Amino acid sequence: MLINERHNQIIYELQIHPHITVKELAKKLNFSEPTIRRDLTELESRGIITKHYGGAILNEGVANREIPFIIRENEQSQTKAEMGLLATKYISDGMVIMLDGSTSAYHLVPYLSRYKDIIVVTSGAKTALALAEMHIPVFSTGGRMRTNSFSYIGREAEDAICRYNADVMFFSCRGLSETGMLSDPSIEEASLRRVMLEQCKKKYLLCDGSKFNKTYFYNMCHVSELDGVISDQPLPPGVAAKLRR
């Protein structure tokens, strides 16, 4: 693991486990405690964390920063693969399918080879490449690529999406609040997903249980606008009641 990757992993662990200790970080990342302490000192010098006895906390504003694709890809990977399989219930031959650039949507790709005459539209560069390698017709939005997620965003990407109509969309977000609001740290990513939602007949959120009861900077849409939520855990009752169907 490169130093930058280790730093990103430490930031991720602090996001989901704010009270994690140096000892626990060392065990999770398989590095010595002195190495982790040096990493924390470096992150503190960059204004990302504040060290305290036995551990550290993320500074204000950093808790909502986005996590690189290479880390998110392995985050809950088995769970995301299982959700991808569940999503196939809503796919049939001949469909036009829209996928965002999330790692959750990326884990749906291996299951698409079983369908005939499908077309996929995606804002994810890695997703588009994986589809092409499987010889599945794919349209990529293009636009400005985000270096930490390998997804396309911006006006060019949104204009491209507006040219297509899809039967079903699968997408993700970073947080699903107690009130049923979907949110994300990235305004541009959330904005593109909103455009996608308008171009699809059916919309399904891929959301593992670790995202429940979390809120990030930018609101994307409300769960009542969706046709369903695909998750590894039962939805909180209040959120489930707000689903349109």
Side-chain angles (χ1 to χ4, degrees), residues 87-108:
T88 61
K89 175 181 178 181
Y90 305 102
I91 300 174
S92 57
D93 294 344
M95 276 189 166
V96 177
I97 302 164
M98 198 167 283
L99 303 176
D100 71 350
S102 67
T103 56
S104 295
Y106 177 74
H107 279 81
L108 171 58

Side-chain angles (χ1 to χ4, degrees), residues 4-242:
N4 283 343
E5 292 177 3
R6 191 168 68 243
H7 287 179
N8 284 329
Q9 186 67 50
I10 289 172
I11 293 168
Y12 168 65
E13 292 295 341
L14 288 172
Q15 283 180 312
I16 61 174
H17 303 296
H19 304 294
I20 195 168
T21 65
V22 169
K23 183 176 182 178
E24 291 168 334
L25 280 170
K27 184 176 180 180
K28 276 180 171 287
L29 275 61
N30 198 27
F31 282 90
S32 68
E33 291 184 34
T35 296
I36 297 301
R37 289 194 183 94
R38 286 195 295 270
D39 289 335
L40 294 178
T41 298
E42 170 64 20
L43 291 171
E44 185 175 48
S45 71
R46 291 159 53 188
I48 295 174
I49 68 165
T50 297
K51 293 195 300 180
H52 60 75
Y53 183 77
I57 58 171
L58 290 174
N59 290 337
E60 185 177 357
V62 180
N64 285 341
R65 82 173 244 175
E66 295 164 82
I67 305 167
F69 190 99
I70 193 171
I71 293 178
R72 290 186 290 112
E73 185 177 355
N74 295 317
E75 173 192 348
Q76 302 281 353
S77 58
Q78 182 59 38
T79 295
K80 291 176 181 178
E82 293 169 357
M83 291 193 302
L85 180 60
L86 288 172
T88 61
K89 175 181 178 181
Y90 305 102
I91 300 174
S92 57
D93 294 344
M95 276 189 166
V96 177
I97 302 164
M98 198 167 283
L99 303 176
D100 71 350
S102 67
T103 56
S104 295
Y106 177 74
H107 279 81
L108 171 58
V109 171
Y111 303 107
L112 297 181
S113 60
R114 65 182 66 177
Y115 299 99
K116 299 178 181 178
D117 302 320
I118 63 171
I119 296 173
V120 181
V121 180
T122 182
S123 60
K126 288 195 68 173
T127 300
L129 178 60
L131 288 162
E133 289 176 341
M134 295 168 60
H135 305 288
I136 295 175
V138 56
F139 289 79
S140 178
T141 63
R144 179 167 67 86
M145 181 184 287
R146 302 185 65 248
T147 56
N148 67 333
S149 66
F150 305 115
S151 60
Y152 295 109
I153 55 171
R155 180 62 182 272
E156 292 83 357
E158 294 180 10
D159 287 347
I161 288 297
C162 289
R163 291 195 289 269
Y164 306 115
N165 297 304
D167 296 292
V168 62
M169 173 187 177
F170 299 99
F171 71 108
S172 190
C173 64
R174 290 302 296 176
L176 178 61
S177 74
E178 299 92 332
T179 62
M181 185 62 69
L182 284 63
S183 61
D184 201 88
S186 170
I187 294 176
E188 292 176 305
E189 198 92 63
S191 178
L192 179 62
R193 288 173 179 141
R194 286 200 62 85
V195 176
M196 287 180 162
L197 289 167
E198 294 173 0
Q199 301 301 118
C200 300
K201 296 177 182 177
K202 302 286 186 179
K203 304 104 173 173
Y204 294 95
L205 173 68
L206 301 167
C207 183
D208 64 79
S210 68
K211 299 176 181 179
F212 291 172
N213 303 323
K214 291 187 178 179
T215 300
Y216 289 83
F217 175 64
Y218 192 79
N219 289 330
M220 186 187 313
C221 66
H222 192 266
V223 72
S224 61
E225 301 175 47
L226 308 179
D227 293 277
V229 177
I230 299 169
S231 182
D232 61 321
Q233 297 181 25
L235 287 176
V239 175
K242 294 179 173 64

